[in-house]
Every structure is written in C-alpha cells, then in structure tokens.
C-alpha cells in the first residue's frame, strides 16, 4: 500500500515474539488492571499535571509488569513508559538514538478507567531511532488486540486467536467526515478557532482514550484523528497501525511523525486525500498567533 512505512529487512518481532508480547499484555491486564476496575480506593488514584490527568495503582503496576517482561525478552531495549517518564523525563532524550525502544501506555484512558467507564486500553509500540515500526492496541474488557508492523497489514486478533484484516474508510468530503479531536488539550488561545470548525464535519467527538480512537480509525469507523499532545506512548502504536490499514499519517506541516518530537500536531486520516482535506481545515494552526475575532 502506498502510504505504508518503509519496509525494514526483517520484521520488528518474530511470530513467537509477537505471541509472547500479547500474552504479557494480557497477563498484566488480568493481574493488575481488571481486578482494580471499579474497585479503586481513593488512595489508589492520584493526579499528575492537573485534576483531570489521573494515574492509578493499575497504571503503575501494569507498566512495571510489562516493563519487566519486555526486558526479559530484549535486555538492551530502551523502555519509554508513561509513568516512568513522568518522574524521569530525561528518558525522552534517548529516543532518537535508540536502535530498539518500546513505548508503553499501561492504561490509556485512565480518567475513564478511574470513573468506571469501559473505554480504556493498553498500548505498546516499538521504535527504531524514533520511527514507529510496530503497534499493539489492546482492549482488556473485550480481550482483543489490534496490531501491525511495517511488514504486515493491520489486523484484529480476537479471543481464541480469530483474526480479521482491517482497512480504513474511504474518507470523503469534509462535510461527510467523522473524527476525533480532544479540544481541551489544544492551546487555550487556539480553542475558539478549533471549536468553530467542528460544525463543518458530520461529527467530531472525544473518547478520552486515544487507544480506542486509533482502533476506530483503523477499523474504518471514523475518518480522522487530530492530536495536539505529542507523546510517544500515545501515538507510536497507532501511527503504524493506521498506516498499515491503508491510512495516511503525518504531522500537520506534512513532515513524518517521529516519536522523538515533542511539539506540533499529528493528523491521521483514512487516506491521503482525506488527510489533505482535514489539513486544509486546520492549516491555521501552523500560524504563530490565533486569528483576531
């Protein structure tokens, strides 16, 4: 497919290693995430950057378990875990030079999880010098995975290992498009301009869980995802999966996404034409200052 990532000589993981990683993520969810779901005490929920940015005991313990399992398989890998980075931000400086790095978001959609909503997931990605080459998006509630690497099409792996190939939507004209955009994470001074664009689309919503937003895009159920908070654990897995499902992924300025980046806007869409149509709507974000009202 024309929009897929450049093919390396070998796949990032062998079939056996993929199975090991799936089993590791499933075990972590079974041991640390699901037993705490709707059972969290107040002492098990903390805040990070603000009152809406939550972290729970499940996030910390699941990340620790997944990290141990990955390092037992790949002792020299760089681990970029969301919770570890929150206290060791210097780890991000190593991404660009790392030949093999794993990103981990142990509970994406923590706010949903902590409030008893079922829209949360586990995200694991693999990077080579910052370039995403493998992605895994796991739904612990339904016990299914969406995965892809640079040598394979995106697929859903359901319980009992039934597999389903995935494909993005056909996209279309702006007024027919549906997508996801989390307005609150965009710069405050740009939010009025962004909000004014929403009626141009058929529907734009926010799940508070980028894992499920990427899953829906890869399955063809929405047409685009526009993100403002560029963190490697949030976007590296989805970037590979969307591309390998036939989509187009690039920063809003047209440059390639690399997990070493800290700033900018990432746009993922069903295909290049749809990406360009959405990009044209949000081109004003490339200007330094908001437009005067």
């Amino acid at each position: 497919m024309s929009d897929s990532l450049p093919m390396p000589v070998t796949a990032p993981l062998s079939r056996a290693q993929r199975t090991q990683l799936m089993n590791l993520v499933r075990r972590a969810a079974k041991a640390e995430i699901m037993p705490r779901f709707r059972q969290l005490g107040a002492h098990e929920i903390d805040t990070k950057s603000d009152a809406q940015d939550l972290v729970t005991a499940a996030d910390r313990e699941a990340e620790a378990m997944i990290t141990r399992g990955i390092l037992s398989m790949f002792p020299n890998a760089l681990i970029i875990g969301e919770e570890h980075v929150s206290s060791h931000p210097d780890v991000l400086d190593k991404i660009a030079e790392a030949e093999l790095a794993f990103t981990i978001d142990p509970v994406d959609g923590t706010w949903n999880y902590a409030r008893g909503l079922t829209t949360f997931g586990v995200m694991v990605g693999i990077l080579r010098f910052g370039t995403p080459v493998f992605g895994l998006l796991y739904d612990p509630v339904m016990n299914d995975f969406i995965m892809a690497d640079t040598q394979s099409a995106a697929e859903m792996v359901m319980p009992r290992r039934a597999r389903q190939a995935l494909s993005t939507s056909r996209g279309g004209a702006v007024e027919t498009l549906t997508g996801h955009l989390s307005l609150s994470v965009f710069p405050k001074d740009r939010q009025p301009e962004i909000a004014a664009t929403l009626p141009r689309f058929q529907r734009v919503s926010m799940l508070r869980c980028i894992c499920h937003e990427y899953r829906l895009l890869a399955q063809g159920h929405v047409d685009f995802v526009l993100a403002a908070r560029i963190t490697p654990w949030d976007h590296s897995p989805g970037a590979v999966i969307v591309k390998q499902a036939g989509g187009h992924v690039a920063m809003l300025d047209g440059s390639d996404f690399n997990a070493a980046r800290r700033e900018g806007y990432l746009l993922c869409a069903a295909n290049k034409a749809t990406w360009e149509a959405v990009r044209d709507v949000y081109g004003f974000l490339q200007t330094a200052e908001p437009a005067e009202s």
Side-chain angles (χ1 to χ4, degrees), residues 37-38 40 45 54 56 109-117 120:
F37 183 48
R38 296 180 175 171
L40 289 167
I45 305 173
L54 304 182
T56 73
T110 300
W111 191 94
N112 294 344
Y113 174 81
R115 304 309 185 208
L117 301 177
F120 59 88

Side-chain angles (χ1 to χ4, degrees), residues 53-256:
D53 186 11
L54 304 182
V55 60
T56 73
D59 295 80
R60 295 188 177 107
E61 296 303 323
E63 180 174 302
M65 183 173 175
I66 294 170
T67 296
R68 290 192 301 269
I70 290 173
L71 289 176
S72 72
M73 298 166 62
F74 301 94
N76 297 318
L78 175 68
I79 305 297
I80 311 294
E82 179 180 8
E83 308 315 327
H84 180 71
V85 168
S86 67
S87 56
H88 299 83
D90 57 303
V91 173
L92 296 175
D93 298 331
K94 302 177 182 180
I95 292 176
E97 303 301 323
E99 183 175 357
L100 177 65
F102 283 78
T103 66
I104 306 170
D105 190 340
V107 182
D108 182 66
T110 300
W111 191 94
N112 294 344
Y113 174 81
R115 304 309 185 208
L117 301 177
T118 57
T119 308
F120 59 88
V122 182
M123 307 173 73
V124 177
I126 298 178
L127 309 172
R128 294 199 189 282
F129 304 107
T131 298
V133 295
F134 171 86
L136 176 156
L137 306 174
Y138 177 57
D139 181 343
V141 176
M142 299 306 296
N143 189 27
D144 60 37
F145 294 84
I146 289 181
M147 291 191 300
D149 64 33
T150 51
Q151 287 197 354
S152 65
E155 64 177 4
M156 177 177 281
V157 183
M158 292 167 280
R160 301 188 181 182
R161 299 191 181 181
R163 296 174 183 266
Q164 176 185 345
L166 302 181
S167 179
T168 54
S169 74
R170 296 182 179 180
V174 167
E175 64 272 14
T176 70
L177 299 179
T178 64
H180 294 298
L181 181 160
S182 297
L183 185 62
S184 63
V185 304
F186 283 78
K188 203 75 173 177
D189 61 346
R190 309 313 295 258
Q191 291 179 14
E193 291 176 283
I194 298 168
T197 68
L198 303 186
R200 296 184 59 181
F201 299 97
Q202 186 174 88
R203 186 183 71 251
V204 178
S205 57
M206 176 186 72
L207 299 182
R208 298 190 70 109
C209 177
I210 196 74
C211 176
H212 277 281
E213 291 178 355
Y214 280 132
R215 283 171 59 103
L216 289 173
L217 179 56
Q219 292 177 86
H221 299 323
V222 299
D223 304 302
F224 71 91
V225 173
L226 177 62
R229 185 176 293 165
I230 306 303
T231 51
W233 49 84
D234 278 332
H235 305 295
S236 300
V240 179
I241 288 168
V242 170
K243 282 191 174 186
Q244 299 306 113
H248 188 76
V249 174
M251 302 301 290
L252 199 60
D253 63 9
S255 61
D256 291 339

